[in-house]
């Protein structure tokens, strides 16, 4: 994940940013669409697949699906550099800004966009809200590196978000899905979502892989060294997260049934607020960070961390709380479908903004 930063000697946007991504990451939307098509085919070929999958469960999720949800999170969390928390003391203002952007501004913005764009589709609206609460903890390292941000700052912010998600995701989920809509006389979730139901899913599908990822990093870095772990182990482990995601998507779409006939329109309606969210969240975070006096590298790390989301966690919680065939789970799947092209565009935007607002970083 910590590839060498792009040269800072030229103010121009480098050609071929997308080509710096691995083939798996670059074609992620293609793999997701293929998994959707395969899942629909399996669902038609085996109409009783859902019943078979529910034979053995982990909590409320069938065991085969739960294993996919756990695996797609584990490689992501094994990448987090948990030992970077020492920087919190020396960069308090920066990290306080990140916490406000990630845990106040981001969730409120996604909540507003979900109600604005999907007032008549509560299932998809709930799914978007769950996405807004799931702060980015992995792919942000790639976008940050491509935009020449600070790898060290991004690593700490990722670790910080991991901890905050364990502590606050269930509280905020209950607040945004059930409490706040009631303040405005609106119906939130289709049924009341308890804080414990969300917390249980977070503890299982984030807590378990987080502990496993932290133990993996701690044990292997002591045994083989940091360089071996970053340069040899993670490049082999990381791509398997995509396999877990695709495996889960195949099973999800195998259980969607007749709803798939509405898929194209549904995808468009879910995508629009996500695209607006990416653009508004990134640009607002960028200019706020610039106004607060942070340099380009810090500003970039803050902006991409604020704009990115942990779609794997959102999918896992949606499946655990609302069910595999729910609209909430489908909304979660749309996120990574458009994330790659949207965030690549923001990489180019960040490098373009560097020329005008941070000329010292372009020389």
């Amino acid at each position: 994940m910590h590839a060498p930063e792009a040269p800072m000697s030229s103010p121009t946007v480098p050609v071929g940013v997308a080509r710096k991504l691995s083939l798996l990451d670059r074609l992620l939307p293609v793999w997701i669409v293929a998994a959707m098509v395969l899942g629909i085919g399996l669902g038609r070929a085996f109409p009783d697949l859902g019943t078979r999958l529910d034979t053995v469960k982990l909590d409320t999720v069938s065991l085969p699906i739960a294993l996919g949800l756990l695996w797609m999170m584990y490689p992501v969390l094994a990448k987090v550099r948990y030992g970077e928390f020492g920087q919190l003391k020396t960069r308090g203002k920066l990290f306080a800004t990140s916490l406000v952007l990630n845990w106040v501004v981001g969730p409120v913005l996604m909540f507003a966009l979900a109600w604005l764009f999907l007032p008549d589709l509560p299932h998809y609206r709930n799914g978007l809200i769950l996405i807004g609460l799931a702060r980015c903890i992995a792919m942000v390292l790639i976008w940050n590196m491509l935009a020449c941000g600070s790898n060290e700052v991004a690593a700490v912010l990722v670790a910080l978000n991991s901890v905050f998600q364990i502590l606050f995701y269930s509280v905020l989920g209950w607040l945004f899905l059930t409490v706040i809509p009631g303040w405005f006389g609106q119906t939130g979730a289709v049924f009341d979502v308890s804080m414990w139901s969300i917390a249980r899913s977070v503890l299982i599908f984030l807590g378990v892989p987080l502990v496993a990822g932290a133990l993996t990093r701690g044990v292997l870095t002591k045994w083989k060294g940091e360089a071996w772990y970053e340069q040899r182990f993670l490049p082999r482990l990381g791509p398997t997260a995509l396999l877990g995601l695709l495996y889960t998507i195949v099973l999800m779409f195998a259980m969607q049934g007749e709803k798939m006939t509405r898929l194209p329109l549904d995808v468009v309606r879910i995508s629009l607020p996500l695209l607006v969210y990416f653009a508004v969240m990134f640009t607002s975070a960028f200019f706020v960070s610039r106004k607060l006096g942070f340099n380009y590298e810090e500003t970039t790390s803050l902006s991409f961390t604020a704009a990115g989301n942990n779609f794997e966690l959102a999918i896992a919680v949606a499946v655990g709380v609302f069910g595999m065939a729910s609209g909430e789970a489908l909304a979660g799947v749309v996120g990574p479908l458009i994330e790659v092209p949207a965030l690549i565009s923001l990489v180019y935007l960040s490098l373009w903004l560097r020329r005008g607002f941070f000329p010292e970083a372009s020389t």
Side-chain angles (χ1 to χ4, degrees), residues 15-30:
V15 177
V17 163
R19 280 179 285 185
K20 295 183 181 181
L21 291 169
S22 69
L23 182 64
L24 287 174
D25 290 330
R26 189 163 65 245
L27 297 181
L28 180 58
V30 176

Side-chain angles (χ1 to χ4, degrees), residues 169-175 178 193-201:
Y169 192 95
S170 59
V171 177
L172 293 175
W174 172 73
L175 187 66
T178 63
V193 180
S194 70
M195 192 183 307
W196 169 240
S197 65
I198 299 175
R200 187 171 59 231
S201 292

